[in-house]
Amino acid sequence: MEILAPYIDMFPDQVEQLRAFFARATATWVVYQGLAIVFAVICSFTFTRAVSRRIEAFLDGDDGHWLRTYKREIVERIAPLIFLVVVWLFWTTFRQITWTSNTLLLGSVTKLATAWILINILASVIRNRFVFRIVSVSLWFIAALSILRLMPAVTVYLDTMAISVGDTRLSALRLIKAVILLGLLLWAVGFAAHLLDTALRRSTELSPSMKVLIGKLVRIVFFFIAVMIALRAVGLDLTTFAVFSGAIGVGIGFGLQKSVSNFVSGISLLMDKSIKPGDVISLGDTFGWINQLNTRYTSVVTRDGREHLIPNEQLISQEVVNWSYSDQNVRIEVPFGVSYDADPHQVKSLIEAGLVKHRRILAKPAPIVHFSAMGESSLDFIFRFWIRDPAEGVANIKSDVLFAIWDILKQNNIEIPFPQRVVHLRHE
């Protein structure tokens, strides 16, 4: 009791109510209520273990396909629902056979369980599991304080925990209100930004880079407004933070230097339209198409399905080849050689006629074969052609062309040379 003494002094009214509760409720009925709660817990776990697998099998089957999206939420709420039903039945029964004062414990537990289930259902719109748990527990804790009539005392106690910064008094209660309000505003900002992104994606008048740029700028503005509203709503004077702004700015400058650089680089990329979602680029050994432009990095998906997250700063500072910057058409060169016994005029006409009908090779500009050099052991040619779909791959079209050249030369008995050396052995 000595350990609990400081807390008892903090909430004298609530402690007195608790003593009055035990004075009104006989020891026997307190035990009965405790046993009823334990029985409800056992029933919830036993029933859940018995039916959860059957419910999962039903949801995975054809009959339950329309509920499959909510499978996780349904399975997680079986135990709380069973507990609530059992404890509510006990509470209702006890109220019929004894005084109301002998059922206060069961009534409080029933109300707390009801609040937990309702809050979980309402908070299920939050897809992030960590944020969902934080929001659920926080709201339930507030509801529990109200149900147990502890809210006024806790509010007064939190308001006494305060410090003064200039002319502003910062209390724990104000900070908690600011955090809760800021969380709600940020959720509203995220929801509004999602609706805006959906509307922008449907727009046909804006370029892909402008859609991304507008979405990012609106998110920043919404976030700034949400922070300002939260601070002003709890009565915080923004000039209070002027003393710390210089130090905070320097700290952010050093600690988040790369992040800020990547963020500014991303805005620059969107404004100058040098790259945009859907473009095919190559950066070093990475070749692929841009999937997303984010504030810190750019997502590039390669032909093998791997997604490279490239910091935006690299796209500004390094050389980037944009295969579809102003035009989707790309010219490709495939070198090959034939024997000196072959007729170069025949080789040119055969290759051009044999490959002009390839599905990916454009007819205009027409594919052409250039006689590039007379090499050491071969007549060297370059086959040049254009495609308009580099996102479909460049290596695969080169492979198709080389296979076709091989077949055409073999069918016409044209030799494909290779370097040879004659070694003379000198005998002394």
Side-chain angles (χ1 to χ4, degrees), residues 172-186:
L173 180 62
R174 276 191 172 186
L175 293 177
I176 292 173
K177 287 182 178 180
V179 171
I180 293 174
L181 181 59
L182 182 60
L184 293 174
L185 288 174
L186 291 180

mmCIF file with all atom_site columns, all heavy atoms in Angstrom, residues 172-186:
data_model
loop_
_atom_site.group_PDB
_atom_site.id
_atom_site.type_symbol
_atom_site.label_atom_id
_atom_site.label_alt_id
_atom_site.label_comp_id
_atom_site.label_asym_id
_atom_site.label_entity_id
_atom_site.label_seq_id
_atom_site.pdbx_PDB_ins_code
_atom_site.Cartn_x
_atom_site.Cartn_y
_atom_site.Cartn_z
_atom_site.occupancy
_atom_site.B_iso_or_equiv
_atom_site.pdbx_formal_charge
_atom_site.auth_seq_id
_atom_site.auth_comp_id
_atom_site.auth_asym_id
_atom_site.auth_atom_id
_atom_site.pdbx_PDB_model_num
ATOM 1   N N   . ALA A 1 172 ? 1.241  18.598 -20.486 1.00 0.00 ? 172 ALA A N   1
ATOM 2   C CA  . ALA A 1 172 ? 1.122  17.268 -21.109 1.00 0.00 ? 172 ALA A CA  1
ATOM 3   C C   . ALA A 1 172 ? -0.231 17.103 -21.783 1.00 0.00 ? 172 ALA A C   1
ATOM 4   O O   . ALA A 1 172 ? -0.339 16.463 -22.832 1.00 0.00 ? 172 ALA A O   1
ATOM 5   C CB  . ALA A 1 172 ? 1.328  16.189 -20.041 1.00 0.00 ? 172 ALA A CB  1
ATOM 6   N N   . LEU A 1 173 ? -1.274 17.701 -21.201 1.00 0.00 ? 173 LEU A N   1
ATOM 7   C CA  . LEU A 1 173 ? -2.605 17.608 -21.798 1.00 0.00 ? 173 LEU A CA  1
ATOM 8   C C   . LEU A 1 173 ? -2.642 18.286 -23.157 1.00 0.00 ? 173 LEU A C   1
ATOM 9   O O   . LEU A 1 173 ? -3.209 17.747 -24.115 1.00 0.00 ? 173 LEU A O   1
ATOM 10  C CB  . LEU A 1 173 ? -3.627 18.248 -20.847 1.00 0.00 ? 173 LEU A CB  1
ATOM 11  C CG  . LEU A 1 173 ? -5.090 18.239 -21.326 1.00 0.00 ? 173 LEU A CG  1
ATOM 12  C CD1 . LEU A 1 173 ? -5.575 16.809 -21.477 1.00 0.00 ? 173 LEU A CD1 1
ATOM 13  C CD2 . LEU A 1 173 ? -5.962 19.021 -20.362 1.00 0.00 ? 173 LEU A CD2 1
ATOM 14  N N   . ARG A 1 174 ? -2.027 19.462 -23.263 1.00 0.00 ? 174 ARG A N   1
ATOM 15  C CA  . ARG A 1 174 ? -2.003 20.164 -24.546 1.00 0.00 ? 174 ARG A CA  1
ATOM 16  C C   . ARG A 1 174 ? -1.239 19.373 -25.597 1.00 0.00 ? 174 ARG A C   1
ATOM 17  O O   . ARG A 1 174 ? -1.653 19.290 -26.753 1.00 0.00 ? 174 ARG A O   1
ATOM 18  C CB  . ARG A 1 174 ? -1.360 21.534 -24.372 1.00 0.00 ? 174 ARG A CB  1
ATOM 19  C CG  . ARG A 1 174 ? -2.302 22.623 -23.894 1.00 0.00 ? 174 ARG A CG  1
ATOM 20  C CD  . ARG A 1 174 ? -1.653 23.973 -24.013 1.00 0.00 ? 174 ARG A CD  1
ATOM 21  N NE  . ARG A 1 174 ? -2.580 25.050 -23.736 1.00 0.00 ? 174 ARG A NE  1
ATOM 22  C CZ  . ARG A 1 174 ? -2.284 26.332 -23.884 1.00 0.00 ? 174 ARG A CZ  1
ATOM 23  N NH1 . ARG A 1 174 ? -1.080 26.680 -24.304 1.00 0.00 ? 174 ARG A NH1 1
ATOM 24  N NH2 . ARG A 1 174 ? -3.183 27.259 -23.617 1.00 0.00 ? 174 ARG A NH2 1
ATOM 25  N N   . LEU A 1 175 ? -0.124 18.808 -25.192 1.00 0.00 ? 175 LEU A N   1
ATOM 26  C CA  . LEU A 1 175 ? 0.678  18.043 -26.150 1.00 0.00 ? 175 LEU A CA  1
ATOM 27  C C   . LEU A 1 175 ? -0.074 16.810 -26.637 1.00 0.00 ? 175 LEU A C   1
ATOM 28  O O   . LEU A 1 175 ? -0.019 16.472 -27.826 1.00 0.00 ? 175 LEU A O   1
ATOM 29  C CB  . LEU A 1 175 ? 2.005  17.644 -25.513 1.00 0.00 ? 175 LEU A CB  1
ATOM 30  C CG  . LEU A 1 175 ? 2.967  18.806 -25.195 1.00 0.00 ? 175 LEU A CG  1
ATOM 31  C CD1 . LEU A 1 175 ? 4.213  18.282 -24.508 1.00 0.00 ? 175 LEU A CD1 1
ATOM 32  C CD2 . LEU A 1 175 ? 3.325  19.561 -26.466 1.00 0.00 ? 175 LEU A CD2 1
ATOM 33  N N   . ILE A 1 176 ? -0.757 16.136 -25.726 1.00 0.00 ? 176 ILE A N   1
ATOM 34  C CA  . ILE A 1 176 ? -1.536 14.958 -26.129 1.00 0.00 ? 176 ILE A CA  1
ATOM 35  C C   . ILE A 1 176 ? -2.657 15.356 -27.087 1.00 0.00 ? 176 ILE A C   1
ATOM 36  O O   . ILE A 1 176 ? -2.899 14.691 -28.103 1.00 0.00 ? 176 ILE A O   1
ATOM 37  C CB  . ILE A 1 176 ? -2.095 14.241 -24.882 1.00 0.00 ? 176 ILE A CB  1
ATOM 38  C CG1 . ILE A 1 176 ? -0.957 13.620 -24.077 1.00 0.00 ? 176 ILE A CG1 1
ATOM 39  C CG2 . ILE A 1 176 ? -3.112 13.169 -25.283 1.00 0.00 ? 176 ILE A CG2 1
ATOM 40  C CD1 . ILE A 1 176 ? -1.389 13.031 -22.753 1.00 0.00 ? 176 ILE A CD1 1
ATOM 41  N N   . LYS A 1 177 ? -3.345 16.464 -26.776 1.00 0.00 ? 177 LYS A N   1
ATOM 42  C CA  . LYS A 1 177 ? -4.382 16.950 -27.685 1.00 0.00 ? 177 LYS A CA  1
ATOM 43  C C   . LYS A 1 177 ? -3.801 17.292 -29.050 1.00 0.00 ? 177 LYS A C   1
ATOM 44  O O   . LYS A 1 177 ? -4.406 17.006 -30.095 1.00 0.00 ? 177 LYS A O   1
ATOM 45  C CB  . LYS A 1 177 ? -5.066 18.174 -27.082 1.00 0.00 ? 177 LYS A CB  1
ATOM 46  C CG  . LYS A 1 177 ? -5.997 17.886 -25.923 1.00 0.00 ? 177 LYS A CG  1
ATOM 47  C CD  . LYS A 1 177 ? -6.660 19.161 -25.433 1.00 0.00 ? 177 LYS A CD  1
ATOM 48  C CE  . LYS A 1 177 ? -7.644 18.887 -24.295 1.00 0.00 ? 177 LYS A CE  1
ATOM 49  N NZ  . LYS A 1 177 ? -8.283 20.147 -23.813 1.00 0.00 ? 177 LYS A NZ  1
ATOM 50  N N   . ALA A 1 178 ? -2.615 17.919 -29.055 1.00 0.00 ? 178 ALA A N   1
ATOM 51  C CA  . ALA A 1 178 ? -1.982 18.282 -30.320 1.00 0.00 ? 178 ALA A CA  1
ATOM 52  C C   . ALA A 1 178 ? -1.641 17.045 -31.137 1.00 0.00 ? 178 ALA A C   1
ATOM 53  O O   . ALA A 1 178 ? -1.846 17.008 -32.353 1.00 0.00 ? 178 ALA A O   1
ATOM 54  C CB  . ALA A 1 178 ? -0.723 19.104 -30.055 1.00 0.00 ? 178 ALA A CB  1
ATOM 55  N N   . VAL A 1 179 ? -1.116 16.018 -30.461 1.00 0.00 ? 179 VAL A N   1
ATOM 56  C CA  . VAL A 1 179 ? -0.748 14.781 -31.169 1.00 0.00 ? 179 VAL A CA  1
ATOM 57  C C   . VAL A 1 179 ? -1.989 14.106 -31.748 1.00 0.00 ? 179 VAL A C   1
ATOM 58  O O   . VAL A 1 179 ? -1.992 13.653 -32.907 1.00 0.00 ? 179 VAL A O   1
ATOM 59  C CB  . VAL A 1 179 ? 0.011  13.834 -30.223 1.00 0.00 ? 179 VAL A CB  1
ATOM 60  C CG1 . VAL A 1 179 ? 0.193  12.464 -30.867 1.00 0.00 ? 179 VAL A CG1 1
ATOM 61  C CG2 . VAL A 1 179 ? 1.364  14.431 -29.851 1.00 0.00 ? 179 VAL A CG2 1
ATOM 62  N N   . ILE A 1 180 ? -3.064 14.024 -30.947 1.00 0.00 ? 180 ILE A N   1
ATOM 63  C CA  . ILE A 1 180 ? -4.294 13.382 -31.423 1.00 0.00 ? 180 ILE A CA  1
ATOM 64  C C   . ILE A 1 180 ? -4.881 14.151 -32.596 1.00 0.00 ? 180 ILE A C   1
ATOM 65  O O   . ILE A 1 180 ? -5.246 13.571 -33.638 1.00 0.00 ? 180 ILE A O   1
ATOM 66  C CB  . ILE A 1 180 ? -5.320 13.279 -30.274 1.00 0.00 ? 180 ILE A CB  1
ATOM 67  C CG1 . ILE A 1 180 ? -4.809 12.319 -29.202 1.00 0.00 ? 180 ILE A CG1 1
ATOM 68  C CG2 . ILE A 1 180 ? -6.674 12.813 -30.806 1.00 0.00 ? 180 ILE A CG2 1
ATOM 69  C CD1 . ILE A 1 180 ? -5.684 12.255 -27.971 1.00 0.00 ? 180 ILE A CD1 1
ATOM 70  N N   . LEU A 1 181 ? -4.964 15.479 -32.455 1.00 0.00 ? 181 LEU A N   1
ATOM 71  C CA  . LEU A 1 181 ? -5.511 16.291 -33.541 1.00 0.00 ? 181 LEU A CA  1
ATOM 72  C C   . LEU A 1 181 ? -4.640 16.206 -34.781 1.00 0.00 ? 181 LEU A C   1
ATOM 73  O O   . LEU A 1 181 ? -5.154 16.107 -35.913 1.00 0.00 ? 181 LEU A O   1
ATOM 74  C CB  . LEU A 1 181 ? -5.630 17.746 -33.080 1.00 0.00 ? 181 LEU A CB  1
ATOM 75  C CG  . LEU A 1 181 ? -6.214 18.739 -34.103 1.00 0.00 ? 181 LEU A CG  1
ATOM 76  C CD1 . LEU A 1 181 ? -7.617 18.307 -34.522 1.00 0.00 ? 181 LEU A CD1 1
ATOM 77  C CD2 . LEU A 1 181 ? -6.224 20.147 -33.542 1.00 0.00 ? 181 LEU A CD2 1
ATOM 78  N N   . LEU A 1 182 ? -3.321 16.227 -34.590 1.00 0.00 ? 182 LEU A N   1
ATOM 79  C CA  . LEU A 1 182 ? -2.417 16.120 -35.734 1.00 0.00 ? 182 LEU A CA  1
ATOM 80  C C   . LEU A 1 182 ? -2.580 14.777 -36.433 1.00 0.00 ? 182 LEU A C   1
ATOM 81  O O   . LEU A 1 182 ? -2.563 14.701 -37.674 1.00 0.00 ? 182 LEU A O   1
ATOM 82  C CB  . LEU A 1 182 ? -0.972 16.310 -35.273 1.00 0.00 ? 182 LEU A CB  1
ATOM 83  C CG  . LEU A 1 182 ? 0.100  16.269 -36.370 1.00 0.00 ? 182 LEU A CG  1
ATOM 84  C CD1 . LEU A 1 182 ? -0.137 17.370 -37.388 1.00 0.00 ? 182 LEU A CD1 1
ATOM 85  C CD2 . LEU A 1 182 ? 1.494  16.378 -35.766 1.00 0.00 ? 182 LEU A CD2 1
ATOM 86  N N   . GLY A 1 183 ? -2.730 13.702 -35.648 1.00 0.00 ? 183 GLY A N   1
ATOM 87  C CA  . GLY A 1 183 ? -2.941 12.394 -36.262 1.00 0.00 ? 183 GLY A CA  1
ATOM 88  C C   . GLY A 1 183 ? -4.208 12.344 -37.101 1.00 0.00 ? 183 GLY A C   1
ATOM 89  O O   . GLY A 1 183 ? -4.205 11.812 -38.224 1.00 0.00 ? 183 GLY A O   1
ATOM 90  N N   . LEU A 1 184 ? -5.300 12.904 -36.569 1.00 0.00 ? 184 LEU A N   1
ATOM 91  C CA  . LEU A 1 184 ? -6.549 12.934 -37.325 1.00 0.00 ? 184 LEU A CA  1
ATOM 92  C C   . LEU A 1 184 ? -6.416 13.777 -38.593 1.00 0.00 ? 184 LEU A C   1
ATOM 93  O O   . LEU A 1 184 ? -6.906 13.396 -39.670 1.00 0.00 ? 184 LEU A O   1
ATOM 94  C CB  . LEU A 1 184 ? -7.675 13.477 -36.441 1.00 0.00 ? 184 LEU A CB  1
ATOM 95  C CG  . LEU A 1 184 ? -8.084 12.605 -35.249 1.00 0.00 ? 184 LEU A CG  1
ATOM 96  C CD1 . LEU A 1 184 ? -9.106 13.323 -34.390 1.00 0.00 ? 184 LEU A CD1 1
ATOM 97  C CD2 . LEU A 1 184 ? -8.641 11.265 -35.730 1.00 0.00 ? 184 LEU A CD2 1
ATOM 98  N N   . LEU A 1 185 ? -5.745 14.927 -38.460 1.00 0.00 ? 185 LEU A N   1
ATOM 99  C CA  . LEU A 1 185 ? -5.576 15.797 -39.631 1.00 0.00 ? 185 LEU A CA  1
ATOM 100 C C   . LEU A 1 185 ? -4.692 15.137 -40.683 1.00 0.00 ? 185 LEU A C   1
ATOM 101 O O   . LEU A 1 185 ? -4.965 15.239 -41.887 1.00 0.00 ? 185 LEU A O   1
ATOM 102 C CB  . LEU A 1 185 ? -4.969 17.128 -39.199 1.00 0.00 ? 185 LEU A CB  1
ATOM 103 C CG  . LEU A 1 185 ? -5.889 18.066 -38.405 1.00 0.00 ? 185 LEU A CG  1
ATOM 104 C CD1 . LEU A 1 185 ? -5.123 19.281 -37.913 1.00 0.00 ? 185 LEU A CD1 1
ATOM 105 C CD2 . LEU A 1 185 ? -7.074 18.514 -39.260 1.00 0.00 ? 185 LEU A CD2 1
ATOM 106 N N   . LEU A 1 186 ? -3.627 14.445 -40.248 1.00 0.00 ? 186 LEU A N   1
ATOM 107 C CA  . LEU A 1 186 ? -2.758 13.765 -41.211 1.00 0.00 ? 186 LEU A CA  1
ATOM 108 C C   . LEU A 1 186 ? -3.494 12.631 -41.908 1.00 0.00 ? 186 LEU A C   1
ATOM 109 O O   . LEU A 1 186 ? -3.279 12.382 -43.109 1.00 0.00 ? 186 LEU A O   1
ATOM 110 C CB  . LEU A 1 186 ? -1.506 13.230 -40.504 1.00 0.00 ? 186 LEU A CB  1
ATOM 111 C CG  . LEU A 1 186 ? -0.518 14.286 -40.010 1.00 0.00 ? 186 LEU A CG  1
ATOM 112 C CD1 . LEU A 1 186 ? 0.670  13.618 -39.334 1.00 0.00 ? 186 LEU A CD1 1
ATOM 113 C CD2 . LEU A 1 186 ? -0.049 15.158 -41.166 1.00 0.00 ? 186 LEU A CD2 1
#
